[in-house]
Amino acid sequence: MEDFNTLNLHIRKKWSMTQQTPFITFGGSYGGNLALWLRLKNPNLWAGAIASSATPLKHLLRETNDFARIETEAYGNVSEKCPELVRKGWEELYEGAKTVSGRVNVAKSLSLCSPLPDERAADDVHGWISGALETMVQYGYPYETSFYNLIPGYPFRVTCQKMLKANTGLGALLSAADVYYNYTGEAGGCFDFDALVMVESSKYWKRKGDYDRLQDQENRIKNRYKKNSPKLIRKSFDSRMSKLKWEESNMAWGYQTC
């Protein structure tokens, strides 16, 4: 930032510009942050900033629900039925998670390798799918990308089209999981609850700053593995933390949908 401030002063001096000559900063993603901060910290040098995907705005987006609205519109622009199917999917997920038989049915409908371990596991599935729906809008390029997972061009459009074919609530959620987590078949024949769902949901709740849900998840993991052995608990924690370590240093990039 100081380099840009120095360049600003150099240009003004070299071309004999007055203090009133307006300079505007532009930036996207991390550059959007720099553009915003330059304007805020040095208003005497920068008359304005055009900042795209500037992450300091993430809390405002979350608090006003604008982030969710933008995300919903992306799928709704393909077909207004897609957001309706997703909402129905959430209802079916949480209703099904209330009973043992329901949890078996939910797991089968979502191609999970094993039944949901308990009712609160619906939160884990919610975070897992929400992360996919969100990121496919964030990286909705017209060509294949692999920032996190390899996904097709216009992934939200591909997902919505799959949702329409499924035409069920849980089928819509599975469509999102298939496109984002299994586009090339990397997940195999089913989605592993511990290795994939739990890890990806942790990333999602961490990005949202929902530490109550994260703590609840950790407590449920402890209770579940206590029935086996302390070594298994430690191994599971170590595995999950190693997968989350990279994500912790990249949390800021999860809020660029706008």
Side-chain angles (χ1 to χ4, degrees):
M1 288 172 60
E2 284 302 315
D3 289 340
F4 281 105
N5 288 335
T6 300
L7 178 62
N8 181 309
L9 293 171
H10 171 74
I11 292 174
R12 289 179 187 275
K13 181 178 180 180
K14 183 173 181 178
W15 279 280
S16 302
M17 297 180 179
T18 67
Q19 186 64 33
Q20 286 69 41
T21 302
F23 275 60
I24 308 295
T25 64
F26 291 80
S29 190
Y30 176 61
N33 290 353
L34 295 180
L36 175 64
W37 289 327
L38 279 170
R39 167 59 180 161
L40 290 176
K41 292 178 177 293
N42 305 99
N44 59 312
L45 296 178
W46 306 97
I50 297 178
S52 173
S53 300
T55 57
L57 301 178
K58 65 181 183 180
H59 298 300
L60 177 60
L61 286 171
R62 293 295 190 189
E63 291 166 4
T64 61
N65 207 40
D66 281 350
F67 188 89
R69 177 182 56 77
I70 294 168
E71 181 184 341
T72 302
E73 285 180 353
Y75 292 93
N77 287 338
V78 181
S79 171
E80 61 183 15
K81 190 173 181 180
C82 287
E84 295 174 3
L85 286 170
V86 172
R87 294 186 186 101
K88 184 179 179 182
W90 298 140
E91 294 175 3
E92 293 176 0
L93 167 64
Y94 280 94
E95 186 61 32
K98 292 178 180 179
T99 65
V100 174
S101 61
R103 291 194 286 273
V104 171
N105 180 62
V106 166
K108 183 178 179 180
S109 298
L110 295 178
S111 293
L112 299 179
C113 299
S114 57
L116 301 186
D118 50 56
E119 182 177 351
R120 296 302 300 276
D123 276 349
D124 303 320
V125 175
H126 183 274
W128 173 55
I129 299 295
S130 294
L133 290 169
E134 176 180 289
T135 309
M136 286 190 287
V137 174
Q138 177 186 346
Y139 294 111
Y141 296 103
Y143 44 82
E144 285 188 351
T145 60
S146 56
F147 291 98
Y148 298 109
N149 303 323
L150 181 63
I151 54 177
Y154 292 125
F156 55 88
R157 183 171 66 187
V158 174
T159 298
C160 184
Q161 290 168 345
K162 284 177 69 70
M163 289 178 178
L164 295 175
K165 290 181 180 179
N167 201 33
T168 65
L170 290 175
L173 302 188
L174 175 59
S175 297
D178 273 340
V179 175
Y180 186 68
Y181 296 110
N182 204 28
Y183 175 52
T184 59
E186 64 268 33
C190 60
F191 298 109
D192 188 287
F193 188 82
D194 286 329
L196 180 63
V197 176
M198 294 291 280
V199 171
E200 293 299 326
S201 64
S202 293
K203 293 178 182 179
Y204 178 73
W205 300 128
K206 189 181 289 291
R207 289 200 301 270
K208 281 197 68 175
D210 196 336
Y211 293 100
D212 288 339
R213 268 196 167 114
L214 280 172
Q215 186 60 55
D216 176 70
Q217 187 184 65
E218 294 295 346
N219 291 338
R220 286 186 287 108
I221 291 172
K222 289 180 181 179
N223 292 333
R224 187 147 55 91
Y225 283 106
K226 273 180 182 177
K227 298 177 181 179
N228 295 294
S229 71
K231 288 184 179 180
L232 189 57
I233 299 173
R234 186 69 267 161
K235 184 178 179 181
S236 174
F237 278 5
D238 289 346
S239 176
R240 292 181 70 244
M241 290 305 105
S242 66
K243 290 180 180 180
L244 286 172
K245 186 176 181 181
W246 181 86
E247 178 70 16
E248 289 177 355
S249 65
N250 291 273
M251 284 170 55
W253 313 122
Y255 298 89
Q256 300 176 33
T257 301
C258 65

